[in-house]
Amino acid sequence: MSIWTRISDALAALAKGEGLSAVFDRLKTPPERSVGFTIAVIALGAKMAKADGQVTRNEVAAFREVFTIPRAEEENAARVFNLARQDVAGFDQYAAKIAGMFGAGDPVLVDLMEGLFHIAVADGDYHPHEDAFLREVARIFGVGDRCFRSILARHVPEAPPDPYDTLGVAHDAPMEEVRAAFRQAVRDCHPDRLLARGLPEEALRLAEQRLVAVNRAWEEIRAKEAA
């Protein structure tokens, strides 16, 4: 059964008049969590589209870079998007439901933030309303400032990357701690780890850009220490 069929089943289970946010209460364990992750990206992406006032073709294309949507399943994806846009519940309620599904600070929520950033900058502009939206979602998710800055730097050219933020260590951390953080970050980007976190296979490419940044950060810090 494809993830899109499972999404269709999850939507069909909603009671008449029930908001999309209710679906997250029923998708708390693997493999259902992969369905929840996909719905979350679509739903929060829809709420974020309202934040800057428009949905561009580039944003739609960006979503397709994360998830492969078969033509026969486009209607299901569109239904999730439209339900989220029409739902009177605010994005903060969605974010709180999702945080409750995975647990505040869960690595899956960092993966979800990566997907939202990817969509936000797809039109070539990082709108102030999108920034406010993403910062509030990160706060609700329990994603710390250092992690947020590292994601921001990966996606927004105007935000210079800090290698220490990327590895999640302080600037005065000893090299042993930096090396351990680097190795942990590499392990966290491994496809098996991502699948174990409940991500659908299509979402694995979210980690590719992060892994490049992790390797670059390690090389930069190591070169600095060797100088």
Side-chain angles (χ1 to χ4, degrees):
M1 182 183 296
S2 76
I3 190 168
W4 296 102
T5 301
R6 287 153 57 203
I7 287 173
S8 179
D9 291 345
L11 296 181
L14 289 172
K16 185 177 181 180
E18 195 171 26
L20 180 61
S21 58
V23 79
F24 298 113
D25 292 330
R26 303 165 187 156
L27 303 170
K28 294 184 177 180
T29 58
E32 289 80 7
R33 288 209 312 179
S34 64
V35 177
F37 179 91
T38 305
I39 292 177
V41 174
I42 302 174
L44 282 178
K47 292 293 189 183
M48 186 168 61
K50 292 184 70 174
D52 71 356
Q54 59 184 338
V55 183
T56 69
R57 289 188 178 184
N58 286 338
E59 287 172 328
V60 174
F63 182 81
R64 288 181 176 277
E65 290 174 5
V66 178
F67 298 101
T68 302
I69 308 177
R71 188 169 297 277
E73 303 292 353
E74 288 179 350
E75 186 175 337
N76 285 329
R79 185 181 174 201
V80 174
F81 192 91
N82 289 328
L83 280 172
R85 281 180 64 87
Q86 296 163 10
D87 195 344
V88 295
F91 77 89
D92 52 339
Q93 295 181 47
Y94 273 60
K97 288 275 190 178
I98 296 161
M101 181 171 66
F102 292 103
D106 191 293
V108 172
L109 300 177
V110 178
D111 297 321
L112 207 161
M113 291 295 302
E114 292 273 7
L116 292 175
F117 262 98
H118 184 71
I119 295 168
V121 301
D123 59 359
D125 180 43
Y126 185 55
H127 196 281
H129 291 167
E130 291 173 325
D131 182 72
F133 176 98
L134 289 168
R135 288 182 185 277
E136 179 61 13
V137 170
R139 185 192 68 77
I140 295 170
F141 281 0
V143 174
D145 290 342
R146 182 180 290 154
C147 182
F148 183 89
R149 289 194 303 267
S150 70
I151 301 173
L152 178 70
R154 280 196 289 277
H155 294 275
V156 180
E158 294 77 17
D162 182 319
Y164 296 92
D165 282 346
T166 300
L167 297 183
V169 296
H171 282 238
D172 59 354
M175 279 304 288
E176 292 79 7
E177 181 181 339
V178 176
R179 183 180 292 104
F182 163 68
R183 290 174 175 169
Q184 183 62 52
V186 171
R187 287 194 291 269
D188 287 343
C189 292
H190 193 280
D192 289 346
R193 287 285 183 99
L194 298 174
L195 290 174
R197 295 209 292 260
L199 272 67
E201 290 186 14
E202 295 95 333
L204 299 185
R205 68 192 73 182
L206 288 173
E208 294 175 1
Q209 190 174 5
R210 185 160 69 248
L211 182 58
V212 170
V214 164
N215 284 318
R216 184 182 297 122
W218 166 245
E219 292 299 330
E220 185 177 339
I221 294 173
R222 190 169 66 169
K224 178 182 176 182
E225 291 295 321

